[in-house]
Amino acid sequence: MTAPNDNANATRGISYEEPLSFERSRPGRVGYSLPELNAEERAALAAIPSDLLREELADLPELSEVDVIRHFTRLSTWNTSVDHGLYPLGSCTMKYNPKINEVVARLPGFAAAHPMQPAGLAQGLLRLCYMLERQLAEISGMDRVTLQPAAGAQGELAGIMMIRAYHEQRGEGRTKVLIPDSAHGTNPASAALNGYSVVPIPSGDDGILHPEAVEAAMADDVAALMLTNPNTLGFFESHMVRIAEIVHSKGGLVYGDGANLNAILGVARPGDLGIDVMHFNLHKTFSTPHGGGGPGAGPVGVVNQLAPYLPVPVVAKVAGPEGERFALDYEFPHSIGRLHANFGNVGMMVRAFAYIRSLGPDGLRRCAEMAVLNANYLQARLRDIFSVPYEGAVMHECVFSDKSLEATGVTTLDVAKRLIDYGYHPPTIYFPLIVHGALMIEPTESESLEGLDRFVETLLTISREAQEDPELLRGAPHNTRLRRLDETQAARRPILRWQAPSD
Amino acid sequence: MTAPNDNANATRGISYEEPLSFERSRPGRVGYSLPELNAEERAALAAIPSDLLREELADLPELSEVDVIRHFTRLSTWNTSVDHGLYPLGSCTMKYNPKINEVVARLPGFAAAHPMQPAGLAQGLLRLCYMLERQLAEISGMDRVTLQPAAGAQGELAGIMMIRAYHEQRGEGRTKVLIPDSAHGTNPASAALNGYSVVPIPSGDDGILHPEAVEAAMADDVAALMLTNPNTLGFFESHMVRIAEIVHSKGGLVYGDGANLNAILGVARPGDLGIDVMHFNLHKTFSTPHGGGGPGAGPVGVVNQLAPYLPVPVVAKVAGPEGERFALDYEFPHSIGRLHANFGNVGMMVRAFAYIRSLGPDGLRRCAEMAVLNANYLQARLRDIFSVPYEGAVMHECVFSDKSLEATGVTTLDVAKRLIDYGYHPPTIYFPLIVHGALMIEPTESESLEGLDRFVETLLTISREAQEDPELLRGAPHNTRLRRLDETQAARRPILRWQAPSD
Amino acid sequence: MRYIPHTEADVRTMLDRIGADSVEDLFQSIPEKLQLRRPLDITAAATEQEVLAELRALAEENASSHTHGWFLGGGAYAHFAPSAVDAIVSRSEFYTSYTPYQPEISQGTLQTIFEWQTMISSLTGLDVSNASLYDGASAAAEAVLMALRVTRRKRVVVAETLHPHYREVVRTYLDGLDTEIATLPRSASGQTEVLAEAVDDTTACVVVQQPNFFGCIEDLESAAAAAHARGALLIVVVTEALSLALLRSPGEAGADIVCGEAQSFGVPLGFGGPHLGFLAARDKHVRQIPGRIAGQTVDSAGRRGFVLTLSTREQHIRRERATSNICTNQGLCLLMATVYLSLLGRVGLRRLAELNLARAETLKSALRAQGLALPFSAPTFNEFTVRVPDSGEAALERALGAGMVGGLDLRPFDAELGPAVLVCATEQSPTDRFETLATCLAGGAA
Amino acid sequence: MRYIPHTEADVRTMLDRIGADSVEDLFQSIPEKLQLRRPLDITAAATEQEVLAELRALAEENASSHTHGWFLGGGAYAHFAPSAVDAIVSRSEFYTSYTPYQPEISQGTLQTIFEWQTMISSLTGLDVSNASLYDGASAAAEAVLMALRVTRRKRVVVAETLHPHYREVVRTYLDGLDTEIATLPRSASGQTEVLAEAVDDTTACVVVQQPNFFGCIEDLESAAAAAHARGALLIVVVTEALSLALLRSPGEAGADIVCGEAQSFGVPLGFGGPHLGFLAARDKHVRQIPGRIAGQTVDSAGRRGFVLTLSTREQHIRRERATSNICTNQGLCLLMATVYLSLLGRVGLRRLAELNLARAETLKSALRAQGLALPFSAPTFNEFTVRVPDSGEAALERALGAGMVGGLDLRPFDAELGPAVLVCATEQSPTDRFETLATCLAGGAA
Ligand SMILES: Cc1ncc(COP(=O)(O)O)c(C=O)c1O
Ligand SMILES: Cc1ncc(COP(=O)(O)O)c(C=O)c1O
């Protein structure tokens, strides 16, 4: 029985096939409209010596506008998205992306403004950036915020660089960064990218960090502790203040990964917890769409102590004869420098600003409350099905292990693939690494009670199937256009581009 | 074997289920943002005596914005559309709808303009309407054009009314309209709606109208002949001029249904063929999207003789001190009056105007040429599979009968439903009425050679299936979310709205 | 041409298969002398970039609530449409599909129609609704034709307070048919005077607008009583559909057919169209309803689905005996309205209606404070008539000078009323400009 | 709140199931004193209508090619994007999905990435490409880091004609690492002087921009020869991706890594972001490439499909030993560019590049006609440097007075050059204003 029952979230239906665009190409087909060059213009082409010119372009298709629209429309139907339903990727905060944000980001005054145009011709945008910085500072309890980093990981890098600059300014050559074993991969990668060596800190049996563990690892050569709060197991790091004291007492700084900020919006502020630097993921907490893999935006907040090291330019408000004006300030002599060709992913800032304006203080807090309620509800309902590796009330997400499935031979991967048959995007799997066969579920506040109940029923069904018919799960998904894809073969013999058939 | 083969146009995949919005409703859920009324405003509500107020609204759902977006996103995935592929509904001209047209129609200066605002505040729109009128007049060879009718059928009605007004003005009380048996249902319906009785004229064995048949029916009490050229069998009415002479000679007028104008754009003009009144379907020929059943637009062109009867208002160009201005002219004492609360479906006019500007004279002619080429190509390739009821080179569409299927017991309906399994929208079926089990295929110019070839291959496969496994066709579609729907039951016991469960 | 995929090689291949020498040859059935032997005399094709620039320039020549303070209604209303509406309507699955003739691949459109029918039935207080008509005015005309069919009578009684454009359209539609139109006058209160003697045994229907063109709320019960007393139907026409959320439903008040314009439900003003005609009626008249109707049914596996139904009323089956000639109607606008109503919902729609009423009443106070008189005593919703000192034209010119489109000059529509303006306040009307508007209308400079 | 579906009844039911008394209780793991006991001090929520109005007002305070004649480039280019691009990008299947971790329900995104990789490999003349980086500048930095990994060397040689912002970002990324940066000077022709002695055996890479920041087309062969002679890699940075359609491909000229900014391919200027960093390399270095890569594979039924691959390079597998920390990158911008390139295609893209070149050359003539000097002799593409009589600032101020954003004042970027402006002409630059621009830059009034 591969077809879900009648009341289910999904069934099967028509799915359209579509080859690669290159395979649809026909010589002479046209998808553009361009003016013809006049004689004078044709002559001007000689300005570039012909040995600098390339031969004709290969491997771009020739298609009509009709072809292109159909091609990508069909491709789009192969994706599942938040607008289809629950997309509970843990740590990714796949909440609803409001439509108004898409509208405002496309206003020509935002979308067509040029990054090099004089500040006087971009007052609206600079004002918006300024206001967003202030909003993020208030929400996080940090003193200053830079909007420049293009994603969370670049924010981490920026933060680590500021930490380095801070220590170097004080003549200290610290070389290590402490990172809990539950951390996201970008944390160690970012530290390493800036030349630090990474010292892992074990989480306690309760899934949170204990002062003793930090104490044991903290030393004079440690530049910072980098931690995520709430952490990737969904827990609030309740020893946060004590831990920060330990780090600070040895001259270190505390970096807070803000990926999970959604859980504490309006409830607690990283700046009040002893965190010195943090990044925001606008594409998580502030609902800018993930776009199938970006663009995101990773602003970084810092305490005053670190403000001199902020990347440039910084948006500044200046009082002038005609009232308030906004300018770009490059005069940060201790700045770590520039991280982006321009000001970062401004389009995401516009969306996040619209989001914060739409929610206000109460709405933001409500996000946190309902996100946490949803995660705890799922934990309560799913604990009969899956094993809970770490007990405790969770914040924005809940994590299960595959222990309860052991006897069946079914893996977390199989459960994930089977969920697809029922019309759900699977949760994050096999992360955090400290949980065996982890299933990391972050429902976000966008999901309704009934929606969660339907999801739970489905997982119940799947766990029954795992007992009764494990092959069904191992062969999943069955209902998709393509069946399970062979990732091993892809990596072993990489085919990374289309090649025109040789004849 | 219900699944199409590997190279096919479609297969099966995940399809999402979704109940009625009412069934998703939960008391207290909110999808809007509205300001709270202040005290003064609350007091103002007393302005309407309470006995004039209704009780609370029943049967509107309570949903969040998330719910609503997911609801309609899921619903949308149950539709097939032009952006998915070939949609060869004969007589409907389902050509590609260019994306730029959607953009321009949404410009606030068009989309937010109010029909009652003074002409001085709507010069851009009036200018656009004026230019579109002139373009349509040139394309059709008619002298004047009104843009007011909201669809083809309303255009027919407007045309018939002008014919009536014309005859009445000359003191003639003609009571009949001649209509060929191949005509679209709106033709007799429109004539009847304006009080005429309809006299059907038989098509000849070659599928076109013959002067003799018209001659035989034409009389002093006949107000008009209403015909479609090219006609609904896809043929050009080559005796057009002679036929028009016959009608005119007895004091009648000729109405031309312009639904098939796409076939002769830039090649021949109704006005040059003896037609006195015609309607355009902007949603066919000029590519304004069909919208799942409208909105369309059905401008009507007339010869000068009929201009005094045009509906009001008419857009007029007036030379003024500040140059050219545009105004609304109501001073048509013989006008049939107004047909629309405002000026018709202006949004469609904006799109059609953009389309005509994008194509220019050469592009429009190319539409006709390639549409006709496509139809003839399909006729040539499909004649081995289906019976051709009327021989001859076709224009924009080709019509087949189900005669070749007779032995199999398979009907045209079955073929249509089976096409769905292969990812194609079926052609128009059982029309025109004079063809037994008609399959009426209009590919339009948007389809490529390879696309047509794939479609032909599919029909070949289906005709083989009809021979080998007729049950397969009778049970089709198999690949859709829902199987064949029971139209008889729907009509016998109509359920036309959702009812809240009684408890 | 980017919309047409044919390459020259394709054309050659196809001609060969057809057995024609050239594309020209395909047009041989058009007599030579009827063929156009010159290019069409229209401007040469423009690039996409040029078309956009041209149309942007044309768009900028028009005023709207984006450029002016807006107080103009009169049958079309500047309401706010949530962005979610256009997000859905822009899905090409909806806007590039046809009328759902093939239900198995059109369930998105069909279920939407079914939901719309449910909503509009509920709002109007009637049993059944169709799947849209062209606009409010033709819906009124279709309703009258329907009443003529139902009653087999020939006389139509129309309130003078029916929107003048609607009256014109009804007249146009009836012209040529063997019918008679009588009118009901406006009383001093601004409401329709329902004279019992105006309705007789040959009367098919009485047509009343709610709220009426001048903004006044009509007494529908009296109208229903007068009509029903002589076996006529009461047709209630609604141009401001939002009023349905607040006022007693016309069905409850006795209307047999309720029709009109639902543009207020998220459909752009668009200089007057496409808008959204609707029509609802009682069960017993369902087979006389014009236009498309969706109905619930089951598939061959017994699962719920939707189809177009009762098509024996329609032109493609019944031809000259159809209930109407309607074919293409306003499907996508119906989708807009259904999305809009799903977002606002039962609570939101009511609250929005209250907000409109409150705004209008606040505006009235501001006008009265400037000494302006409101000539009609009947209660109103979000629109009302105000007397101005000199002329509507001059008053509105002053408002325009202050950046406002201040309302509709009533002189062209009602010569006897004296200088008056129809003013409308919605949730989009700038409250901080109410006083300025009052000053302008009263004769002062802004 | 319309984005959050919970009703009070829902909350109650859920709390009961969890076994908590109140929502407050759920936050007990946050020590009491760390909890915020006041509302956030940000402006109260606005309605959708208000937010739209506020943001429209902010948007209108910015200039763009919609409001001004546009001649400003310098790393970001005002190209025209066909409407079809945004129509596709607006499909929520694309923009509301995540990185395609679950390939069976992400084939739309994955096939798009694979198509992009093919296109960018072909345009750069290299073997493999990744699935985007944040922007051109960080792509340049990542390319340098990649070269350091590949060569295990520590010295980086960067042309002074590399975009100054890119140079800054490279410097920022290298800060803290044990590396050295040397520079190659600009010659009188405007090209980079490739001094053989600048490259030594410790040099990991030579970084050159094509066309360079001043618009000049570089001699990549010489740069490649100098780099390869000492075992260093040649990195070519491209900020105007459209030039790839016209100029000899960097891969062919000997580049080992080509990276840069593909904003020109249909991505909105957006005040600088989100844009689209790209990076392509030779097969042999594929396992040192940063960022996501999609690869072709088969499903369990043997049908072609696509997955993210070579992930052992990445942070989520390799953590501190990853080739980069990149996670979220610029997926949707990649889609824009892939749609754009599919529309323009091999012929259209070349024609567009020719049009840009022709426009720039025409503009040069107009400037020369006003007596303005072009200080550099090297050929250019759509952007070039022009000397102005007084100062770049003053010259641009005059252009602005005539409604034009006339280019980039080069003084802040190159103190020695003297008063000069970087001027750019694309298909969107108004040809009918070339003369006026020339007049303004030359010192006259418009
Ligand atoms: C906990 C955590 N930290 C950091 C990141 C990296 O953020 P980004 O993807 O924006 O670079 C993520 C993203 O998934 C995350 O979940
Ligand atoms: C031949 C013909 N005439 C008239 C019409 C009616 O046009 P509309 O649907 O725009 O009212 C159609 C529409 O299908 C048609 O095909």
Side-chain angles (χ1 to χ4, degrees), chain A residues 109-127:
Chain A
F110 296 143
H114 190 289
M116 294 286 201
Q117 73 198 37
L121 297 179
Q123 286 296 300
L125 271 156
L126 293 175
R127 181 191 299 274

Side-chain angles (χ1 to χ4, degrees), chain B residues 164-395:
Chain B
R164 173 180 294 280
Y166 166 86
H167 289 305
E168 285 181 355
Q169 178 77 5
R170 336 183 109 213
E172 297 187 7
R174 295 176 180 240
T175 57
K176 291 182 185 149
V177 173
L178 308 184
I179 301 182
D181 53 8
S182 62
H184 192 259
T186 51
N187 291 185
S190 298
L193 196 60
N194 196 232
Y196 283 105
S197 59
V198 173
V199 182
I201 312 284
S203 309
D205 291 343
D206 49 1
I208 63 175
L209 217 54
H210 287 266
E212 304 74 51
V214 176
E215 184 97 62
M218 191 60 208
D220 284 351
D221 59 351
V222 171
L225 166 69
M226 198 171 185
L227 90 182
T228 310
N229 194 9
N231 71 21
T232 64
L233 291 161
F235 297 128
F236 190 84
E237 295 285 0
S238 9
H239 307 298
M240 188 67 233
V241 171
R242 177 73 200 107
I243 288 169
E245 277 168 17
I246 294 169
V247 175
H248 290 149
S249 72
K250 297 241 171 103
L253 294 171
V254 180
Y255 184 101
D257 179 329
N260 298 336
L261 183 64
N262 201 47
I264 56 170
L265 282 174
V267 176
R269 308 192 310 161
D272 301 339
L273 309 176
I275 285 171
D276 302 298
V277 203
M278 70 167 288
H279 76 260
F280 304 77
N281 302 67
L282 297 189
H283 47 300
K284 298 182 198 278
T285 316
F286 299 101
S287 188
T288 74
H290 285 69
V300 173
V302 296
V303 294
N304 271 329
Q305 221 178 354
L306 289 166
Y309 311 105
L310 284 170
V312 282
V314 169
V315 180
K317 180 155 81 174
V318 283
E322 303 142 67
E324 245 172 37
R325 304 288 291 169
F326 296 86
L328 290 171
D329 186 356
Y330 288 89
E331 302 307 316
F332 271 62
H334 299 300
S335 166
I336 57 164
R338 184 187 268 282
L339 275 156
H340 191 274
N342 304 299
F343 317 112
N345 286 344
V346 181
M348 302 298 115
M349 302 173 202
V350 174
R351 289 172 173 87
F353 178 78
Y355 185 71
I356 294 171
R357 286 293 294 116
S358 300
L359 286 159
D362 299 343
L364 287 177
R365 186 177 167 111
R366 181 91 178 163
C367 286
E369 290 179 346
M370 296 302 110
V372 169
L373 180 66
N374 277 359
N376 279 284
Y377 181 73
L378 277 186
Q379 195 199 38
R381 291 214 56 193
L382 291 175
R383 60 185 314 125
D384 306 334
I385 315 180
F386 299 109
S387 317
V388 174
Y390 295 94
E391 284 294 345
V394 293
M395 303 294 287

Side-chain angles (χ1 to χ4, degrees), chain A residues 94-277:
Chain A
M94 294 295 281
K95 53 167 77 174
Y96 170 64
N97 305 132
K99 299 304 169 191
I100 181 190
N101 300 350
E102 297 307 304
V103 173
V104 296
R106 283 168 171 80
L107 292 170
F110 296 143
H114 190 289
M116 294 286 201
Q117 73 198 37
L121 297 179
Q123 286 296 300
L125 271 156
L126 293 175
R127 181 191 299 274
L128 184 149
C129 291
Y130 185 85
M131 290 192 286
L132 180 59
E133 278 186 27
R134 297 317 310 150
Q135 289 166 342
L136 293 179
E138 164 63 10
I139 289 167
S140 62
M142 307 306 289
D143 297 314
R144 294 298 302 269
V145 172
T146 171
L147 301 173
Q148 201 176 119
Q154 205 184 29
E156 294 173 21
L157 184 61
I160 290 292
M161 286 170 169
M162 286 190 262
I163 289 170
R164 172 182 294 281
Y166 167 86
H167 289 304
E168 285 182 353
Q169 177 76 6
R170 336 183 108 213
E172 298 188 6
R174 296 177 180 240
T175 57
K176 291 183 186 149
V177 173
L178 309 183
I179 301 182
D181 52 7
S182 62
H184 191 261
T186 50
N187 291 184
S190 299
L193 197 59
N194 196 232
Y196 284 104
S197 59
V198 172
V199 182
I201 312 282
S203 309
D205 291 344
D206 49 1
I208 62 175
L209 216 53
H210 287 267
E212 304 74 52
V214 177
E215 183 97 62
M218 190 61 208
D220 285 350
D221 59 352
V222 171
L225 166 70
M226 197 170 185
L227 89 183
T228 310
N229 194 8
N231 71 24
T232 63
L233 291 162
F235 298 128
F236 190 85
E237 295 286 359
S238 8
H239 307 298
M240 188 67 233
V241 171
R242 178 73 200 104
I243 288 170
E245 277 167 17
I246 294 167
V247 174
H248 289 149
S249 71
K250 298 240 171 103
L253 295 171
V254 180
Y255 184 101
D257 179 329
N260 298 335
L261 183 65
N262 201 46
I264 55 169
L265 283 173
V267 175
R269 309 192 308 162
D272 300 339
L273 309 177
I275 285 171
D276 302 297
V277 203

Side-chain angles (χ1 to χ4, degrees), chain B residues 19-21 23 31-32 34-35 37 45 47 52-62 71 75-76 78-83 87 92 94 98-99 106 109-114 116-117 121-122 124-125 127 138 153-154 157 161 183 185-186 188 190 192-195 238 241 263 267 269 273 289-295 336 338 340-347 357-359 361 365-366 370 374 417 425 445-447 481 483-486 490-491 495-498, chain C residues 1 3 5-6 8 14 18 24 27 29 34-36 38 40-41 43-46 54-55 58-59 61-64 70 72-74 76 86 90-99 102-109 111 114-115 117-118 122-123 126-127 134-135 163 165 168-169 172-173 175 177 244 246-248 269-274 287 295-300 303-304 307 309 315 319-320 325 329-332 343-348 350-351 354-355 361:
Chain B
L20 291 164
S21 58
E23 295 162 341
Y32 55 84
L34 289 170
L37 298 186
L45 298 184
L52 292 177
L53 299 180
R54 73 185 292 157
E55 295 301 301
E56 64 168 17
L57 288 167
D59 292 357
L60 288 194
E62 294 176 70
H71 178 74
L75 259 55
S76 76
W78 300 341
N79 273 6
T80 282
S81 73
V82 172
D83 279 6
Y87 205 119
C92 298
M94 293 295 281
K99 300 304 169 191
R106 284 167 170 79
F110 296 143
H114 190 290
M116 293 287 200
Q117 73 197 38
L121 297 180
L125 272 156
R127 180 191 301 272
E138 164 63 10
Q154 204 184 28
L157 184 61
M161 285 170 170
T186 51
S190 298
L193 196 60
N194 196 232
S238 9
V241 171
V267 176
R269 308 192 310 161
L273 309 176
H290 285 69
I336 57 164
R338 184 187 268 282
H340 191 274
N342 304 299
F343 317 112
N345 286 344
V346 181
R357 286 293 294 116
S358 300
L359 286 159
R365 186 177 167 111
R366 181 91 178 163
M370 296 302 110
N374 277 359
K417 298 300 182 194
H425 194 286
E445 70 278 11
S446 304
E447 301 306 317
R481 190 182 62 93
R483 303 288 295 281
R484 200 180 293 197
L485 285 151
D486 188 339
I495 305 177
L496 308 180
R497 58 176 293 188
W498 175 78
Chain C
M1 212 299 128
Y3 305 154
H6 298 70
E8 289 317 308
M14 295 170 82
I18 293 165
E24 286 269 287
F27 292 93
S29 59
L34 298 184
Q35 293 198 28
L36 190 67
R38 58 165 177 86
L40 287 170
D41 183 19
T43 318
E54 259 182 45
L55 279 139
L58 286 171
E61 281 185 68
N62 310 303
S64 74
W70 211 262
L72 173 60
D86 195 51
S90 299
R91 288 189 62 81
S92 56
E93 289 88 339
F94 283 126
Y95 79 84
T96 77
S97 57
Y98 201 76
T99 304
Q102 294 288 343
E104 295 83 3
I105 42 172
S106 311
Q107 284 296 304
T109 298
Q111 183 166 325
F114 188 79
E115 292 181 359
Q117 289 174 183
T118 303
S122 171
L123 283 166
L126 289 174
D127 305 316
Y134 303 134
D135 73 340
H163 192 300
H165 291 174
E168 289 178 44
V169 173
T172 304
Y173 267 73
D175 216 42
L177 306 181
L244 290 167
L246 194 62
L247 302 183
R248 194 150 167 230
L269 281 169
F271 204 47
R287 282 172 205 270
Q296 181 178 319
T297 187
V298 291
D299 77 353
S300 58
R303 282 173 303 179
R304 177 172 72 184
V307 294
T309 192
Q315 46 76 25
R319 300 178 75 85
E320 63 271 21
N325 68 338
N329 43 78
Q330 306 290 111
L332 203 69
L343 287 164
L344 273 284
R346 53 203 289 272
V347 178
R350 177 67 170 237
R351 278 191 50 190
E354 289 176 354
L355 180 63
E361 293 298 322

Side-chain angles (χ1 to χ4, degrees), chain A residues 90-92 151-154 156 184 186-187 228 232 257 259-260 279 281 283-284 296-297 431, chain D residues 98 101 134 325-328:
Chain A
S91 206
C92 298
Q154 205 184 29
E156 294 173 21
H184 191 261
T186 50
N187 291 184
T228 310
T232 63
D257 179 329
N260 298 335
H279 76 261
N281 302 66
H283 47 300
K284 300 181 196 275
F431 177 75
Chain D
Y98 201 75
Y101 293 145
Y134 303 133
N325 68 338
I326 205 159
C327 180
T328 298

